[in-house]
Amino acid sequence: MLIKQISIFIENKSGRLAEITKLFGEKGVNILALSIADTTDFGILRLIVSDADKAEKAVKESGLTAKVTEVIGVSISHTPGGLAKALSVLHQNGISIEYMYAFATRSEQDAMVILRVKDNFAAIKHLTDAGISILRKEDLAELF
Amino acid sequence: MRLYWDQKNECMSRDRIHDIQSKRLVSLVKRVYTNVPYYREKMHAKGILPEDITSIEDIDLLPFTTKQDLRETYPFGLFASPMNEIVRVHASSGTTGKQTVVGYTQKDITLWSELMARCFSMTGADKSSVIQVSYGYGLFTGGLGAHYGAERIGAATVPTSSGNTQRQINIMKDFGVTVLCCTPSYALYLAEVIEESGISLDELKLKAGVFGAEPWTENMRSEIERRLNIKAYDIYGLSEIMGPGVSMDCEYKNGLHIWEDHFYPEIINSDTGERLPANTDGELVFTTLTKEGFPLIRYRTRDVSSLSYEKCGCGRTVARMAKPSGRTDDMLIIRGVNVFPSQIESVLLEIGETSPHYMIIIDRVGTLDTIEIQVELTVDMLSDEVKRLEDTENKIRRGIESTLGLAAKVTLVESKTIQRSEGKAVRVIDKRKL
């Protein structure tokens, strides 16, 4: 039920993102979603890719510091209030979100959200109980 | 204007200096041999007994003392007086977190005050002066050392200590301060803030400054003199030997006069320990001839200097040392604080299981020294959450601040970005233009 996310530490230097994405291109790694959290000096680039292990290996070989983390992918209805419903389920159950980012898909009915919480399994249980669908690895594969 | 505090001792003949040094060395060696087991053992190891020392020439026979000896005898192992005779203790930062501790008897404090009085008198200061001491007061010897000397000459002493620049300037103006004591970089900073505040130099009564505790250049001296419209004097000292006032230059700016009746200077080759002749660069070594609480024999300062024995234009006959031109070890002096790269490494070791690669970057922004530590992020340190990385940065920053007493900027950098060295690791980039 969990999705692998790769997190890469990058300094705030011009050209870094171009280099990393170029590297993925060369290795045949497709990027489905990404987000960047940044401070004045550094940033953390988080990516959902077609093959997280391959991406991690490529990144480490190039000398960057990277790490794979497991996150939750949620499919929500692409209508006003759709995201709010999922988030209030988590809030009511006392689960706080460390960070999240959304991404568009080819589907017109659904939107996808990546969530990072402390307790993945509790979050999945409460979301499922509320009828919200969780993305599986296989679902992701279809998106590429 | 009185330029000598103690003309007899500052201007005596070289023969007389020699006799005094010989007499004092003989009694010093007897004293440490009797009172300090550590020295006694070191002398035995070299096959030396006190009676082998009959004049200052015999000093070659005695073993050197190093910072390592101070560390091994931490805290009071080299004290030559019982604790009930010690009236003051100072300390300076050490390389591995252990401080170097020094103790003073009442007589030592009186001597220190006397020697600082000689220094202040060289600037023309006297009991009509108002002396502002902007060195830090505390374990650091700068503040209290200058303070006692200023009081000794009868000047109105203003113990502002360091920090709060605007208040320092208000006091300087309102109290009619005539002599300022601080680090040279702080003097330049004060000059800058004075200019920014729109205070005219005519509103100040400042005539002279006694600056030291960090390396500075003749260019900095000219700039301070021009911007504050004062005469700037260079003072030298180290807590192990006494504190500020071991030597200072006069208006001839011709090297720093060492108070040779109390501190015997030598210049050695730092690799072989061989004594070098006058006017040759080498490591400066001091023997404290009269100190009671914490006497040192042939203490290797690690400062690079040279000695000159010609009489100075000011009339003083004591040896003059050249402004130290560098160090024989990797010690850095940042805002007057002694910093060894190994101290920073020990902080980093507490963060993870292995020490990450790091680089220390020293710069001078405006007039103040800055220190930045770049730390290569390891996989262990990486998190996908920003706040955890910021926690790591803060942990390192707090560790460094509590170890060094200096605020440092900590920057996490990508791995492999810090240049690897094939030989001895380069841990420091000093961008200060001195």
Side-chain angles (χ1 to χ4, degrees), chain B residues 252-272:
Chain B
Y252 287 83
K253 298 175 183 170
N254 205 0
L256 291 78
H257 294 280
I258 298 167
W259 305 125
E260 250 193 304
D261 42 341
H262 299 281
F263 310 115
Y264 182 73
E266 296 171 82
I267 293 287
I268 61 161
N269 175 324
S270 63
D271 295 326
T272 63

Side-chain angles (χ1 to χ4, degrees), chain A residues 11 16 63 67 99 116, chain B residues 382 384-385 387 390 414-415:
Chain A
E11 285 172 55
R16 289 314 270 136
K67 188 176 196 168
Y99 58 82
R116 172 75 156 98
Chain B
L382 178 61
D384 58 326
E385 292 173 47
K387 67 173 180 211
E390 286 178 335
E414 289 171 19
S415 62

Side-chain angles (χ1 to χ4, degrees), chain B residues 136-408:
Chain B
Y137 280 63
L139 285 173
F140 172 56
T141 50
L144 285 167
H147 182 101
Y148 276 62
E151 284 190 349
R152 181 71 188 96
I153 65 167
T157 308
V158 190
T160 49
S161 194
S162 52
N164 202 341
T165 304
Q166 198 54 56
R167 195 182 61 178
Q168 299 261 4
I169 292 168
N170 293 342
I171 285 174
M172 193 183 293
K173 185 164 117 301
D174 299 344
F175 295 8
V177 168
T178 57
V179 180
L180 170 68
C181 303
C182 61
T183 60
S185 56
Y186 193 62
L188 272 179
Y189 183 63
L190 283 170
E192 220 169 73
V193 178
I194 288 170
E195 285 160 22
E196 278 165 16
S197 331
I199 296 172
S200 150
L201 291 178
D202 300 338
E203 296 173 65
L204 302 178
K205 293 201 172 123
L206 213 54
K207 288 191 188 78
V210 175
F211 305 121
E214 68 184 13
W216 55 313
T217 58
E218 282 308 319
N219 285 342
M220 270 179 87
R221 166 141 57 189
S222 321
E223 201 184 337
I224 293 170
E225 293 192 326
R226 182 178 58 77
R227 291 173 72 173
L228 286 173
N229 193 24
I230 57 171
K231 274 192 175 169
Y233 296 83
D234 189 3
I235 190 163
Y236 174 89
L238 58 167
S239 61
E240 295 93 313
I241 300 304
M242 181 178 76
V246 172
S247 65
M248 190 168 113
D249 65 8
C250 65
E251 73 271 23
Y252 287 83
K253 298 175 183 170
N254 205 0
L256 291 78
H257 294 280
I258 298 167
W259 305 125
E260 250 193 304
D261 42 341
H262 299 281
F263 310 115
Y264 182 73
E266 296 171 82
I267 293 287
I268 61 161
N269 175 324
S270 63
D271 295 326
T272 63
E274 174 204 2
R275 266 190 91 156
L276 296 174
N279 304 306
T280 312
D281 273 352
E283 183 179 341
L284 184 60
V285 171
F286 279 111
T287 299
T288 64
L289 295 170
T290 51
K291 249 172 54 172
E292 293 183 334
F294 187 77
L296 280 178
I297 289 185
R298 302 191 89 196
Y299 182 68
R300 298 182 58 160
T301 64
R302 298 284 175 191
D303 282 322
V304 176
S305 181
S306 63
L307 293 172
S308 151
Y309 294 90
E310 288 93 54
K311 186 175 172 179
C312 179
C314 68
R316 290 182 183 83
T317 49
V318 290
R320 276 169 291 136
M321 55 178 266
K323 183 190 274 292
S325 59
R327 300 271 310 166
T328 63
D329 60 9
D330 59 358
M331 188 181 91
L332 303 158
I333 302 178
I334 301 163
R335 282 178 242 151
V337 178
N338 297 351
V339 174
F340 289 90
S342 56
Q343 289 174 296
I344 288 164
E345 192 157 338
S346 68
V347 171
L348 293 176
L349 267 170
E350 288 165 19
I351 304 297
E353 297 204 339
T354 52
S355 169
H357 282 277
Y358 66 94
M359 185 67 86
I360 303 164
I361 296 161
I362 322 285
D363 205 348
R364 186 160 281 169
V365 175
T367 57
L368 284 183
D369 292 342
T370 60
I371 174 166
E372 178 188 359
I373 321 289
Q374 291 189 347
V375 182
E376 271 189 14
L377 190 91
T378 58
V379 178
D380 295 347
M381 290 156 74
L382 178 61
S383 163
D384 58 326
E385 292 173 47
V386 167
K387 67 173 180 211
R388 289 190 190 224
L389 290 183
E390 286 178 335
D391 284 349
T392 304
E393 271 188 347
N394 286 330
K395 199 175 158 197
I396 299 172
R397 193 177 6 254
R398 280 195 302 270
I400 286 170
E401 190 155 353
S402 72
T403 307
L404 306 181
L406 268 183

